[in-house]
Amino acid sequence: MFVSTAYAQTAAPAAGGADMIVQFLPLILIFVVFYFLLIRPQQKKMKEHKGMLEAIRRGDRVVTGGGIIGTITKVGPEDELQVEIAENVRVRVMRSTVNLVLSKSEPAKSADEKADEKVVDRK
């Protein structure tokens, strides 16, 4: 009395290639947005930071990851820097811990440039 008759439905046609693209289109769009808003700017920032670390030289004022401000007194082997944080207080830090270069120093003069200056001064 309460039993209804059940009818078998016909099978739906197999999903075509266009239907799959429409289904994955939102995911693809989300990935594209994430790439341009998050991934690409982060890669650019990392590249600039790496270039800054490679250009560090003696005399530059830097800020370390711990917030210590100092002047580089020596660029050592294997990415090691010696930073003077106070008068006659020097610490060794890894190059990768430098977060910011506050001021760049002028490059040290070579022996040839110093000799040229002496010749000019004598005249």
Side-chain angles (χ1 to χ4, degrees):
M1 168 162 199
F2 295 108
V3 177
S4 64
T5 53
Y7 296 101
Q9 295 181 348
T10 58
D19 291 338
M20 290 184 68
I21 292 174
V22 171
Q23 288 177 348
F24 286 113
L25 189 62
L27 293 174
I28 293 169
L29 289 175
I30 289 171
F31 180 76
V32 168
V33 168
F34 268 88
Y35 176 77
F36 283 107
L37 293 180
L38 297 174
I39 298 170
R40 190 167 171 229
Q42 185 66 24
Q43 287 176 342
K44 184 178 178 184
K45 185 177 179 182
M46 287 174 53
K47 186 177 180 181
E48 289 173 358
H49 187 258
K50 184 179 178 184
M52 177 196 67
L53 291 179
E54 290 174 356
I56 287 178
R57 60 179 178 243
R58 189 172 47 92
D60 292 349
R61 288 186 47 82
V62 296
V63 179
T64 65
I68 297 173
I69 300 174
T71 305
I72 296 179
T73 57
K74 180 181 175 185
V75 178
E78 299 178 13
D79 294 335
E80 191 176 292
L81 303 172
Q82 188 176 33
V83 179
E84 185 172 7
I85 58 176
E87 193 172 324
N88 295 325
V89 179
R90 294 180 179 166
V91 294
R92 292 184 345 203
V93 297
M94 295 298 296
R95 185 183 296 257
S96 60
T97 62
V98 174
N99 284 346
L100 180 66
V101 176
L102 294 176
S103 62
K104 301 287 286 179
S105 64
E106 292 187 24
K109 296 182 181 179
S110 66
D112 294 335
E113 291 174 348
K114 289 179 184 178
D116 290 341
E117 282 183 5
K118 289 180 183 177
V119 172
V120 172
D121 290 339
R122 290 181 188 168
K123 290 182 181 180

